[in-house]
Amino acid sequence: MKQYLALCQRLIDQGEWIENKRTGKRCLTVINANMTYDVGQNQFPMVTTRKTFWKSAIAELIGYLRGYDSAADFRQLGTKTWDANANLNEAWLNNPYRTGDDDMGRVYGVQGRRWSKPDGGHIDQLKKLIDNLSQGIDDRGEILTFYNPGEFHMGCLRPCMHTHTFSLLNDTLHLTSYQRSCDVPLGLVFNQIQVFTLLALIAQITGHKAGLAYHNIVNAHIYEDQVELMRDVQLQREPFDPPKLHINPDIKSLEDLETWVTMDDFEVEGYQHHEPIQYPFSV
Ligand SMILES: Nc1nc(=O)c2c([nH]1)NC[C@@H]1CN(c3ccc(C(=O)N[C@@H](CCC(=O)O)C(=O)O)cc3)CN21
Ligand SMILES: O=c1ccn([C@H]2C[C@H](O)[C@@H](COP(=O)(O)O)O2)c(=O)[nH]1
């Protein structure tokens, strides 16, 4: 939480105004922010200076791991976060690759689970790394990447948090996650939860201790219509101690994740928070 607030304050104090063509809005922007989460100690990085919809964030992550490409599937899991990008973005609505309502195209999980090979067939990056890590193998390339420039034109949005690298040091698993673009008031609140939960889940499934998750962000920004709420409301609040995340210990395999896991298999203990803040969302 301290790292999050420090980044928000840095944006307010040192951010530069940058025009964004895609949304037509200006953003206060800084480059490079690195956060570290102690997953082994279960210090769940949930924002306490406003109410956080953590189930929605975890649902988004599970949807990526299942390879979902439809906002309807995300809704069914428990999050509406892809509705706007799938159904309200003018450029995507006019894109010939869009197959209909709620289609997101070849984004995130599609690349993670079904990366198209030029010579035919697909690659399941997640299955490969889970199989390796379960056998104690770290080939120094245990990477899940959603970043496929050759297919950007076939999806509604380029992935923001796009690459996750797992590292096994003896019996402890670490994660380094890389994010190219970060909406600090909205997206980051979810992304912190996702990085933490991804390491906790994969460590549990592959039978290792969870260590540290490193979250490396390049372009961190606040949209112009979010600045006042951040500066005058959220940053005036005192944070509470972090809560803890509990994951159902019966989740033991990728197949479990794919078949029966719901948001009821996740619990947060000791979450104290301030009032919700509704930040404007830019499509
Ligand atoms: N401009 C923008 N910012 C983002 O953070 C973002 C995108 N676009 N597009 C793709 C995904 C979708 N994400 C989203 C979308 C919506 C919320 C959101 O509205 N959050 C509210 C309510 C959440 C709820 O009720 O479940 C919040 O207060 O956190 C958060 C992340 C993150 N990503
Ligand atoms: O997980 C996510 C997904 C998206 N975002 C934010 C970052 C940007 O504000 C937009 C994406 O716009 P681009 O023009 O493609 O950079 O969505 C996020 O913070 N986290």
Side-chain angles (χ1 to χ4, degrees), residues 20 22-23 60 64 82 108 157-161 179-184 186-188 190-191 194 221 223 281-282:
N20 178 251
R22 195 182 63 76
T23 57
E60 205 177 84
Y64 297 153
W82 281 94
Y108 286 89
L157 198 73
R158 292 169 301 164
C160 290
M161 204 157 67
Q179 183 163 1
R180 66 170 178 83
S181 174
C182 180
D183 176 343
V184 172
L186 281 177
L188 183 53
F190 278 28
N191 296 141
Q194 290 163 347
H221 50 264
Y223 287 93
F281 177 78
S282 299

